[in-house]
Amino acid sequence: RVAVAGTSYGGFVAYSLARAAGPGRVGPVVISNSDLLKTAEDDRAFLQRAGGEWASMAELLMPLDARSARRLMELSFYRRQVTSMLPDFLIREGVQKLFSDKREEKIELMKAIIIGTDEFQLTPLEQDVLLIWGDHDQIFPLDKAFAVKR
């Protein structure tokens, strides 16, 4: 038996693995800042919190330019001043390394994990589950943690 843990989209992987393998193979599950109940409305609300400039979640969560990457970092870090210290060339280099590889597959994953789609249905796990969530999370707000817990 193994324990599994996942943060953000990795939480979907941890949840799916625990559900598919069952408690005989997967023991405790740790899910961190991963909205397993994400809806299309949640996506729209997030894009508004981000400033309303992006047409899709993929544009902001998998940026191709330094401006979008900087905005994603501002939303991701509690202390935003950290992002202002990074020069654009470092951000551009990071964007190329992180978001270029398998981009289409990642976009398909983002679409598939919206609750209520045929691809993803949330059911309670038999295993013990620890939810870890930041109370200042701007991508997946804290109230979503309580909904996932329920």
Side-chain angles (χ1 to χ4, degrees):
R1 270 180 91 201
V2 298
V4 295
T7 298
S8 190
Y9 285 101
F12 289 93
V13 175
Y15 167 82
S16 297
L17 178 61
R19 186 173 79 177
R25 299 186 81 193
V26 173
V29 180
V30 179
I31 296 173
S32 171
N33 294 68
S34 183
D35 183 5
L36 300 176
L37 295 172
K38 189 167 82 71
T39 65
E41 180 54 39
D42 292 327
D43 286 355
R44 285 188 286 279
F46 170 65
L47 291 172
Q48 285 300 333
R49 285 192 306 277
E53 300 174 41
W54 291 269
S56 73
M57 292 290 284
E59 284 182 39
L60 185 55
L61 293 179
M62 294 187 308
L64 292 174
D65 60 68
R67 185 183 69 80
S68 297
R70 190 175 295 280
R71 183 62 184 136
L72 175 59
M73 289 171 36
E74 290 169 354
L75 291 164
S76 299
F77 294 114
Y78 179 62
R79 292 192 171 96
R80 293 185 190 133
Q81 64 270 25
V82 170
T83 63
S84 65
M85 293 186 280
L86 294 173
D88 278 350
F89 79 90
L90 280 179
I91 293 175
R92 273 192 304 277
E93 196 172 295
V95 162
Q96 290 172 345
K97 288 182 181 176
L98 289 173
F99 303 114
S100 299
D101 188 44
K102 296 185 172 65
R103 182 172 179 77
E104 292 307 313
E105 290 89 341
K106 292 173 186 174
I107 290 171
E108 287 304 312
L109 173 64
M110 291 175 75
K111 291 177 183 174
I113 58 178
I114 292 177
I115 195 75
T117 62
D118 291 338
E119 291 85 2
F120 187 79
Q121 297 293 324
L122 185 68
T123 57
L125 294 174
E126 295 178 51
Q127 298 91 329
D128 289 333
V129 177
L130 172 64
L131 287 178
I132 301 172
W133 219 280
D135 59 352
H136 295 286
D137 191 319
Q138 295 182 71
I139 296 174
F140 300 121
L142 184 60
D143 63 324
K144 297 300 285 187
F146 294 106
V148 169
K149 179 183 177 194
R150 283 190 298 277

